[in-house]
Amino acid sequence: MLDRLPPDWRAALNNRVDAPPLEHLQAFLACEVEAGKRLFPAQADWFRALELTPLAAVRVVILGQDPYHGEGQAHGLAFSVPPGVRPPPSLVNIFKELEADLGLARPHHGLLEHWARQGVLLLNTVLTVELATAGAHQGRGWEALTDAIIRAVDAQGAPGVFVLWGAHAQKKAALVQSDRHLVLQSPHPSPLSARRGFFGSRPFSRANAFLEANGRGAIDWRLP
């Protein structure tokens, strides 16, 4: 599994992940494919977030749970969808908060690659899912890898921002040195919880203020 990672991430994670969870994960995924189950995203996109955002470039981590499980939605970046795919409700709410926070007009698409290329690691804690079955691949081994990714970012010399939306993501706060990094926690942007504190949390302006105060430059949150 590690052999499929970009070289910089592979070098950083090589001694951070025990082999058994990844071996179990590979066996599980092979069995799922053999059984004819449809998995998202496509295998070529499993590590798309790491490909677009090198470790040394990470300034912000936005943590999701698992990929979208609808047809054609997941493409390897948390909360993002490919061009031509209608933004799901959680992403619509993210755009509403972006507009309220920074005054930016809501985008007409849901592709977040512009963020990723600036150092925003759009990471899910589980990197695959079965069609129409949310959470189907939780507890199968992905967490060992993604926890190691979070720890690798935490260990970088420069301070960064960790955006943890919802209870699942907030469990990962224990992996982050909050005395060095800014950890922003709020309810998930899902329609079920967004009005309980996600709206009004101002994650984009708060992240930029911290980055600028630490000499790392602001993220351009616009989506051209």
Side-chain angles (χ1 to χ4, degrees):
M1 185 70 70
L2 292 179
D3 290 343
R4 302 178 188 177
L5 300 179
D8 61 327
W9 284 104
R10 184 168 64 245
L13 300 177
N14 196 41
N15 295 321
R16 294 180 181 270
V17 188
D18 293 332
L22 297 187
E23 292 169 357
H24 174 81
L25 173 63
Q26 290 185 98
F28 166 74
L29 293 173
C31 287
E32 294 290 278
V33 172
E34 179 99 9
K37 295 183 179 180
R38 298 188 61 198
L39 310 184
F40 298 128
Q43 184 171 339
D45 288 331
W46 287 358
F47 303 117
R48 183 64 173 158
L50 304 184
E51 292 166 0
L52 290 180
T53 312
L55 175 58
V58 176
R59 292 188 281 164
V60 178
V61 177
I62 295 180
L63 192 62
Q65 187 165 338
D66 56 359
Y68 295 126
H69 55 80
E71 185 75 46
Q73 294 179 315
H75 69 122
L77 302 179
F79 297 105
S80 179
V81 291
V85 176
R86 183 178 180 178
S90 291
L91 184 54
V92 170
N93 284 341
I94 290 170
F95 290 161
K96 288 179 180 178
E97 179 61 19
L98 179 64
E99 181 180 37
D101 188 6
L102 297 179
L104 300 178
R106 299 179 203 176
H108 298 292
H109 64 86
L111 181 67
L112 305 183
E113 285 192 358
H114 180 62
W115 295 358
R117 295 182 188 279
Q118 296 179 76
V120 180
L121 180 62
L122 297 161
L123 182 69
N124 283 310
T125 58
V126 173
L127 301 187
T128 55
V129 72
E130 182 183 344
L131 171 66
T133 312
H137 293 179
Q138 291 180 21
R140 297 293 186 170
W142 278 122
E143 293 88 349
L145 179 61
T146 56
D147 282 3
I149 291 170
I150 294 169
R151 289 190 177 99
V153 176
D154 172 74
Q156 292 294 293
V161 181
F162 289 78
V163 181
L164 310 180
W165 288 330
H168 185 87
Q170 288 167 15
K171 292 177 182 177
K172 305 301 181 180
L175 305 177
V176 180
Q177 301 174 71
S178 58
D179 58 334
R180 295 183 56 243
H181 305 287
L182 176 64
V183 180
L184 299 177
Q185 303 187 52
S186 75
H188 195 275
S190 162
L192 298 175
S193 56
R195 297 192 181 280
R196 299 178 198 157
F198 172 76
F199 290 138
S201 61
R202 304 182 62 221
F204 307 103
S205 62
R206 292 167 69 192
N208 275 355
F210 180 85
L211 291 172
E212 290 185 302
N214 284 277
R216 303 205 67 193
I219 302 295
D220 176 12
W221 295 105
R222 294 172 297 176
L223 289 173

